[in-house]
Amino acid sequence: MQHTAGGHNDEKDILAFSNHLYSCDFAAADHALRLLCLPHTSAHGRINSVDMRRETELFHYKDYSLHVSSNMLYKSVNRRFFLLKRKKKDKEDDIMMTKDQYIESLRKLHLNLYSFGKKVENVVDNPIVRPSLNSFAATYELAEDPQYEDLMTATSNLTGKKVNRFTHLHQSTDDLIKKVKMQRLLGQKTAACFQRCVGMDAANAVYSTTFETDEACGTKYHENFVKFWTDVQNNDWGVDGAMTDVKGDRGLSPSKQADPDLFLHVVERTADGVYVTGAKAHQTGYLNSHYVLVMPTISMREGDEDYAISFACPTDAEGITLILGRQSCDTRKTEEYNDIDVGNKVYGGHEVLVIFDRVFIPNDMIFLNGETQFAGMMVERFAGYHRQSYGGCKVGVGDVLIGATALAGEMAGSAKASHVKDKLIEMTHLNETLYCCGIACSSQGTKTKSGNYLIDLLLANVCKQNVTRFPYEIARLAQDLAGGIMVTQPSEADYRNPATHDYIEKYLKGVASVPTEDRMRLLRLIENMTMGTAAVGYLPESMHGAGSPQAQRIMIARQSNMEMKKELAKKIARIG
């Protein structure tokens, strides 16, 4: 639909409006929009009626057009959701954001975040959050680097354009393998959780599940999701995948809980959409994402229809409150002298508790709504993809830890000792075994009815079962070889203090040719990865992320085809 604006609709006014938008001067943009006298804008700056497509052109003038996303219909126009476009683009296929563009895009969000008892006004530059943003931003930065183009980008099956692989829907086993290799690369570059995997894994699970739901139920969830994910790819948005509910009494189903909000659920249905209430826990990367893609957390049964809900909404949607989780040693980031003591100065991760309090979800952003029989499929497929992911990301982080441990031996003068060599071999063996599992489940992937590829679920669960164990042993060996000084060395503040500097410089020396400060930095890195903020992503996340150990054992039992194995034994033994 196209409407010619009346009033001061010359190119100067439109360009001024564009400048206001991109400089985040929303009040000025709102004023400029009123001057343009758009027929769809009321006196209160709200959209009255717009074609319910994903993106609607409100008006055009010369080479310019003003667009609004249909899922933002209930937002005020003085927010960021209008986009002025040139109809003639110099680079039609250049839809990926740069690292800097990504960071600036986050400044336009209005996240309702609380941390340490206070509301966080500037999330992007918050010292606790910023390292996690840097990790997420690496997914954009490496996609700009020609040497990593093959791993970091792919051709979209939806648009035919080059997209960041983190927004890609896997079209082959080669895509699945490249995903694992990409994740290892990013783990090597950040030594932390780079967070974008969850949205990618959620998207691939929802894509295939909605197709099969529509096929069985006559719904239009797949069409909704394809439209949404096309927008994600075209804008290179970061998406947080949200599955884990707080669960309450684990012995009761969602609909039987004493407090119905302990599983996220629909609390009201209208002709235009639904309102949801509940919470999602352990949300990795939410603060660095533009959208959240919500899924059920477990298989559902009759009576749980209101809990069988999947949808997407902006991360700063009205009614969402965020509470930042604590991490071991997190306040070191706020200390005056923290260049050494944080261990990893640049990169990190975060987790938040996400509370949904009557958040409105338009119909075209809903991907499952009461079809309890398909909740389990969505959960199982997401879990499979995410268990595959750990065969890449944890391996990359392990590469850094193994390297740091080897350097610690060199700095201490113990690198040639046979037991040191043997322990480094064991660390490498364990790490590469995880990688083998990630590659194996990818290479054995199969095509779903929707056309995207699903990993081998049995091998993916074997991968994750190993991940619940091997990083802990790798970390134990790292601490063994690093020595006790890793956790007893003085603070950086004491190292910088003239009264104590020379003593620390003298008595923390290892090999004479190695600067004391270098040794201190390396030991803090090992501490960070095995006990500090990064340990959250490398150890407990290895245990519980993508499902706790018993969840994989249940899936291994389901997928093991034990009856076939029995028949093989019977045939060889000539019995039965």
Side-chain angles (χ1 to χ4, degrees), residues 148-208:
Y148 302 126
E149 182 178 11
D150 186 53
L151 287 185
M152 295 300 304
T153 67
T155 300
S156 168
N157 66 301
L158 302 180
T159 67
K161 297 178 181 178
K162 184 172 76 171
V163 296
N164 193 300
R165 189 171 293 279
F166 279 99
T167 69
H168 186 49
L169 300 168
H170 314 305
Q171 296 300 296
S172 64
T173 55
D174 186 56
D175 275 344
L176 293 171
I177 291 170
K178 285 179 178 177
K179 170 197 169 185
V180 173
K181 291 182 176 181
M182 172 184 70
Q183 291 167 317
R184 184 171 191 171
L185 172 67
L186 277 153
Q188 293 170 340
K189 296 292 186 181
T190 64
C193 176
F194 40 92
Q195 307 142 59
R196 207 173 176 187
C197 310
V198 194
M200 169 178 55
D201 294 339
N204 276 276
V206 173
Y207 182 77
S208 62

Side-chain angles (χ1 to χ4, degrees), residues 332-496:
R332 289 189 187 184
K333 299 174 187 177
T334 65
E335 294 173 359
E336 180 181 0
Y337 294 102
N338 67 5
D339 192 50
I340 295 176
D341 286 352
V342 292
N344 187 341
K345 177 71 173 177
V346 178
Y347 300 108
H350 77 255
E351 298 78 30
V352 292
L353 178 65
V354 184
I355 295 96
F356 294 77
D357 187 2
R358 288 188 58 81
V359 176
F360 179 74
I361 310 299
N363 284 326
D364 64 344
M365 295 295 279
I366 296 173
F367 315 128
L368 189 72
N369 190 6
E371 293 79 13
T372 55
Q373 67 272 34
F374 286 96
M377 176 186 289
M378 190 175 289
V379 172
E380 182 178 285
R381 291 183 179 181
F382 168 76
Y385 282 122
H386 208 44
R387 290 164 188 173
Q388 170 214 23
S389 289
Y390 281 24
C393 63
K394 304 309 178 194
V395 177
V397 175
D399 288 331
V400 177
L401 183 55
I402 293 168
T405 306
L407 284 171
E410 292 177 5
M411 291 180 175
S414 61
K416 294 182 180 180
S418 61
H419 77 95
V420 172
K421 294 179 181 179
D422 187 63
K423 289 169 183 174
L424 288 171
I425 291 170
E426 178 63 10
M427 294 169 76
T428 302
H429 158 246
L430 293 170
N431 205 47
E432 297 302 332
T433 300
L434 298 179
Y435 186 57
C436 289
C437 291
I439 294 296
C441 70
S442 303
S443 69
Q444 298 301 301
T446 53
K447 191 175 185 178
T448 69
K449 289 183 177 181
S450 65
N452 71 333
Y453 271 66
L454 179 67
I455 36 72
D456 183 289
L457 288 172
L458 173 60
L459 297 181
N461 279 275
V462 170
C463 177
K464 177 53 174 52
Q465 183 75 181
N466 286 333
V467 171
T468 67
R469 303 172 182 176
F470 292 179
Y472 283 89
E473 180 62 8
I474 293 170
R476 186 188 71 80
L477 292 170
Q479 292 179 349
D480 177 357
L481 296 180
I485 195 65
M486 175 191 71
V487 291
T488 65
Q489 72 179 30
S491 70
E492 181 181 351
D494 288 315
Y495 184 64
R496 304 301 182 196

Side-chain angles (χ1 to χ4, degrees), residues 514-530:
V514 176
T516 298
E517 182 174 327
D518 287 358
R519 188 178 184 219
M520 293 176 66
R521 286 180 178 277
L522 189 76
L523 292 170
R524 287 299 188 202
L525 173 60
I526 296 174
E527 179 195 41
N528 170 262
M529 298 181 71
T530 64

Side-chain angles (χ1 to χ4, degrees), residues 18-32:
S18 174
N19 290 336
H20 288 317
L21 284 175
Y22 287 107
S23 65
C24 300
D25 188 350
F26 299 118
D30 185 45
H31 178 68

